[in-house]
Amino acid sequence: MSLADLSSTLWRIREMLDLLLFKLEEEQLVLAAGKTRWLPHATREVEMVLEQIRKTEVLRAAQVDEVAVLLGLPPAPSLSALADAAGEPWSELFRQHRAAFLTVTAEITALAETNRELLTVGSRAVHEALMNVTGSVATYGRSGETVGGGRSSRLVNEAM
């Protein structure tokens, strides 16, 4: 295994992370537009990219261990440790990979959190709409049984 092979795999992971970011942005647009019909498709695409990343991560981990042996490092070194041990131009290239991974990971984390918030808001809106239409919504109790959830607040004239 060579440093060039590892770098190539790191490039592939970076491309997949960019694709994941794009798919999360697509999912966010679907959520923000209220187009819930397309949400399963958008979510499936995100899951497909995540699966590709997982498979490539296994390859990357194996390559890193092989390169670590070549550089005299312990197994599973960080990219920083690889950069410190590798000569130029690999040292600079691994530092650039690391910086790119940190940036895209922060963007993915923020976008995923925003998408979770949009899903929570949407779920609350559906719950409230059901409460207004039916007067109650079935929920689950502590032991997993279905229980009716009554209205949490009522107008004074409704109480009489």
Side-chain angles (χ1 to χ4, degrees):
M1 186 55 45
S2 70
L3 294 171
D5 293 331
L6 175 59
S7 183
S8 177
T9 299
L10 294 173
W11 277 112
R12 221 171 338 163
I13 293 171
R14 284 174 64 175
E15 290 170 352
M16 284 186 270
L17 289 173
D18 282 340
L19 180 60
L20 176 61
L21 186 61
F22 170 72
K23 292 299 180 183
L24 286 169
E25 285 189 21
E26 267 186 339
E27 186 179 60
Q28 184 180 64
L29 291 171
V30 167
L31 287 166
K35 303 289 187 179
T36 55
R37 169 185 177 192
W38 302 115
L39 189 55
H41 295 292
T43 302
R44 186 172 41 253
E45 289 178 351
V46 167
E47 290 168 356
M48 288 169 47
V49 174
L50 285 171
E51 183 58 29
Q52 290 175 348
I53 291 170
R54 280 186 209 100
K55 288 178 181 176
T56 308
E57 272 296 307
V58 171
L59 173 64
R60 182 212 49 85
Q63 289 176 335
V64 164
D65 284 345
E66 289 179 25
V67 167
V69 170
L70 293 174
L71 297 175
L73 296 171
S78 67
L79 258 169
S80 292
L82 287 174
D84 291 342
E88 291 298 335
W90 302 111
S91 181
E92 180 59 27
L93 189 56
F94 288 151
R95 283 188 181 85
Q96 289 174 4
H97 282 307
R98 182 179 183 280
F101 286 137
L102 291 173
T103 300
V104 75
T105 300
E107 291 174 358
I108 287 169
T109 301
L111 198 50
E113 180 59 32
T114 300
N115 288 2
R116 272 192 291 280
E117 289 171 9
L118 287 170
L119 282 167
T120 301
V121 167
S123 174
R124 244 185 260 134
V126 168
H127 183 352
E128 290 172 8
L130 285 172
M131 287 283 291
N132 286 334
V133 171
T134 65
S136 68
V137 174
T139 60
Y140 294 101
R142 289 185 179 169
S143 61
E145 78 281 4
T146 303
V147 296
R151 287 181 180 234
S152 58
S153 63
R154 297 186 337 183
L155 297 175
V156 174
N157 63 351
E158 289 179 335
M160 295 185 178

